[in-house]
Amino acid sequence: MILALYCPDIAQNAGTCLRTGACLGAEVHIIEPAGFPVGAAGFRRAGMDYIDAIAWQRHASFAAFDAMRRAQGRRLVLFTTTGAVPLTAFRFRPGDALLFGRESAGVPPQVHDAVDARVKIPMRPGLRSLNVAVAAGIALAEALRQTDGFGGA
């Protein structure tokens, strides 16, 4: 299972996702350009000492990331507030790539078109969205629970 961040805007959120990936045993992939220098102090501070315990990769573009995940046979699951399937009804598979959009704008239409599934995390009506790091933690935990994947990537 991998956690992928599309052009993240906030270093602390990316660092928190790295920490989550380290603790839950999932790789984290950062699709650039990011809104901060990847590896910067804020990024490392949020990841704390966990950054050395995580397998993570940078990709120069969505096209590069998409080519990698296709070559590995990974299904791409986008988490979006406009998702067609609620998290509670979606069935994950081992090896899925869970994709989260940038904090300021989500993902562009061409990324929406490239995914295999669009999933939403149910929320109370009238509220816009969860923090991306919180949403990633919820989604990754559920995906690993369903696939008996805790403790390994």
Side-chain angles (χ1 to χ4, degrees), residues 1-8 13-15 17-22 25-34 36 38 43 54-62 64-70 72 74-76 95-102 132 136 140 153:
M1 195 75 60
I2 65 173
L3 184 62
L5 305 176
Y6 178 86
C7 303
N13 284 339
C17 288
L18 284 168
R19 183 175 181 162
T20 300
E27 292 180 21
V28 176
H29 293 245
I30 297 176
I31 301 162
E32 297 198 69
F36 54 89
V38 175
F43 177 75
I54 179 75
W56 67 285
Q57 293 183 37
R58 295 164 66 172
H59 301 275
S61 65
F62 177 74
F65 169 78
D66 198 41
M68 178 276 313
R69 72 97 186 167
R70 286 179 188 276
Q72 293 179 357
R74 293 182 184 273
R75 188 170 62 158
L76 186 57
D96 279 347
L98 312 182
L99 179 63
F100 296 83
R102 71 183 324 151
V132 70
L140 182 58

Side-chain angles (χ1 to χ4, degrees), residues 56-128:
W56 67 285
Q57 293 183 37
R58 295 164 66 172
H59 301 275
S61 65
F62 177 74
F65 169 78
D66 198 41
M68 178 276 313
R69 72 97 186 167
R70 286 179 188 276
Q72 293 179 357
R74 293 182 184 273
R75 188 170 62 158
L76 186 57
V77 180
L78 175 64
F79 284 81
T80 172
T81 57
T82 61
V85 181
L87 175 67
T88 52
F90 190 76
R91 294 296 154 238
F92 293 93
R93 299 179 195 154
D96 279 347
L98 312 182
L99 179 63
F100 296 83
R102 71 183 324 151
E103 293 91 333
S104 61
V107 299
Q110 66 269 24
V111 173
H112 266 274
D113 293 344
V115 304
D116 299 300
R118 291 173 200 84
V119 176
K120 64 181 173 186
I121 297 172
M123 297 185 311
R124 291 177 40 211
L127 299 177
R128 189 177 67 247

